Amino acid sequence: MFKNKKKRGSMIISAVLSLLMISGSFVFTFADTSFSDLNNSPYKASVEKLSAENIISGYPDGSFRPEKTVTRAEACVMISRAMNPSDEKYAAASENRFSDVNADYTWAKRYINYAYSMGVVDGYPDGTFRPSASVTYNELAAMIIRGMGYSADMLGGSWPDNYKNKAVELEIYDGIYALLTAAEKQNFDYKAPALRGNTSLMIYAALDGLREQGKKELPVKEAGNGEAAEQNTNLNSDLSAAKTLSLSDAVRIMKKDSYLAKIAQLNYETDKTKVEGYAEDIKDIKSAIKSIEDMENRIDRLVDQKGRVNQAIAYLESIPPEDRTPEQEAALAEQKQLASSISTALNQVEAALEQIGTRDAMEINKKIVELQQDFAAANLEGNHLAEQNSIEYQTVSIYYGILQAKENVRVSRDSLAVQEELKRITDLKYSVGTVAKMAVQSQNLAVENAEQDVRDAETSLSGAIMSFNMMLGYDLTTNMELTDTLTPLALPSADIDAAVESAMNNRLSALQLKYACDVQKLSAELLRKNEGKESAAYKKQLLALELTETSYNNLKKSLELEIRNAYMSLCNKLEKIQQSRDTVAIAEEGLRLAEVSYKAGTGTLADVQKAQVSVLQSNQMLMATIADYNLSVYEFGYLKNVGKERIEL
């Protein structure tokens, strides 16, 4: 199936080592697996061997359907299984990051989350994963290459050629190429949806080098131990020495390794201790309720005992003193002493019970704390995700800021080039006597100002990059090259009703308001039992409850208003981008005409300088408009889900 086997074996083995060292060992114990539609098929060998290792699977009717396209969810399942992580590593990556990886994708959820945690695949700015979307050959190759331990900064070049070229180098496409004519290979569409049969060939090719070495299992070595540490270039390693950085890599590093990520993790651990603390509080309250029950039972026993003693005293006192025997007198004194002791004990128990509170009140307290515990436990992950969203938003904002700073440097240098050309023309005109000395002096000053603008722009860019390096954990002087460009993101879906419903069910602020209503109801009930219906505290609590319930009942409309306004703002900002582009085009044409006029002697130097300023400002405005729109796209995605502000649990 593959060409140049000897060459392939030595070349791919180091890459496969990285893949396997990420997660554990890959054991080759092939079973006799077959599919009804693969007889005499070129996919038969790869499909059956990968199926035996549970990397890929067929359909209940016994078919494989090699011509069916592969979805993003299916690709994550296959790549994650090929990486062969332990159950513990699946569990460590169990947090669901995507709003649309729901109950319909239970079968793929842990694989998607694991692939995302390892940097194999990314989601979209609106918080979705789009698991049912088809995967192209370019995207599938990128997933395989990333799973092997490569990242964009290690490959060089730009998407998608960087990953495609590496896949070609590792002969991952060779199985597909073997099925094509020379013309078909030359015109192969790497942007087309990947088919299941071809996917099996690509994954099998990535692992084939190891098979050729005759190895059945690769022992796991810990990073930091000699050769294994040097070869372990998996996606958990940072990019501190990188010179190129994509936006997705920047977000991943910031979420995992930055000081903001560490703060978020500490907050997450703090929230977990709060959940544990609520459990301890509930245990204490249950113990207090048991104490109340014991005291109430003891009071009942003491009251019963006191009644019997009083009956005995009454009987003995009914006997005339002169008729009482010495034994009866002694018994009367003893019973009176016992009655006094019982009264003292009864008073002590009742006083202690009054301090603890009634059983009903304690039961309400228990319900309140149980409600707090349930709320904290239910929103523990959501609170962490909100902080992750905040980190993502800050990262994107900084990344865009650096792109804007780079554009300012470019525009400033272009402006300087124009001013220097104008200086050359002005000097020439002065030499032939067509302009005055003042024009030369004015243009010299314009060049100096343009040079200062370049220095200022470069200083601003350097400062922004150093600040980002510090946040990422890089050396401050790392010469960072951002691989993404500042282009408008796609406009999100306009299904407002679905967005509002999602916000009602996921937004932390919405869930917190509903929780506040439940807590205040119980608090009102507690005050009614402790203080009474006529107490000021109870009436005040009722008003607070009514206010909170009114806010919650109006919440859906408020969210709808917020989301509709946000979506209309997105549409307006998208239109402003086109307007800004038109403004840039007009300004550039104005500069061209001003330069032509000045060179021809029909325009003034001031006209050219004014036109140059207009070009500079319009380009800066375009970049700012795109950045503002893109950040709003991210914001819109957060609005529909947990948000980006953590709450107190």
Side-chain angles (χ1 to χ4, degrees), residues 10-77:
S10 61
M11 182 163 52
I12 198 171
I13 182 64
S14 63
V16 177
L17 279 171
S18 295
L19 169 62
L20 300 178
M21 288 176 63
I22 290 173
S23 54
S25 57
F26 190 91
V27 186
F28 296 94
T29 54
F30 298 113
D32 184 17
T33 306
S34 61
F35 297 92
S36 60
D37 55 349
L38 292 183
N39 293 330
N40 301 318
S41 169
Y43 308 118
K44 182 178 176 65
S46 61
V47 169
E48 291 184 352
K49 289 178 180 179
L50 294 178
S51 176
E53 288 304 317
N54 196 35
I55 292 174
I56 60 177
S57 57
Y59 291 87
D61 63 358
S63 66
F64 181 74
R65 305 178 194 176
E67 300 304 317
K68 190 174 184 295
T69 58
V70 177
T71 66
R72 282 167 61 81
E74 290 168 342
C76 284
V77 172

Side-chain angles (χ1 to χ4, degrees), residues 250 252-267 384 387-388 391 394-395 398 466-474:
R252 178 175 58 80
I253 294 167
M254 286 286 285
K255 285 183 176 181
K256 178 178 175 292
D257 295 326
S258 70
Y259 75 88
L260 292 176
K262 290 177 173 59
I263 292 173
Q265 185 60 34
L266 288 172
N267 285 334
H384 187 57
E387 280 201 278
Q388 293 280 297
I391 292 172
Q394 291 182 63
T395 305
I398 294 168
M466 284 193 293
S467 296
F468 203 22
N469 282 334
M470 182 178 69
M471 296 179 74
L472 290 164
Y474 292 2

Side-chain angles (χ1 to χ4, degrees), residues 265 267-277 380-381 649:
Q265 185 60 34
N267 285 334
Y268 178 72
E269 297 299 330
T270 300
D271 285 345
K272 285 172 63 177
T273 62
K274 287 182 180 179
V275 175
E276 295 167 0
L380 182 66
E381 300 298 333
L649 298 182

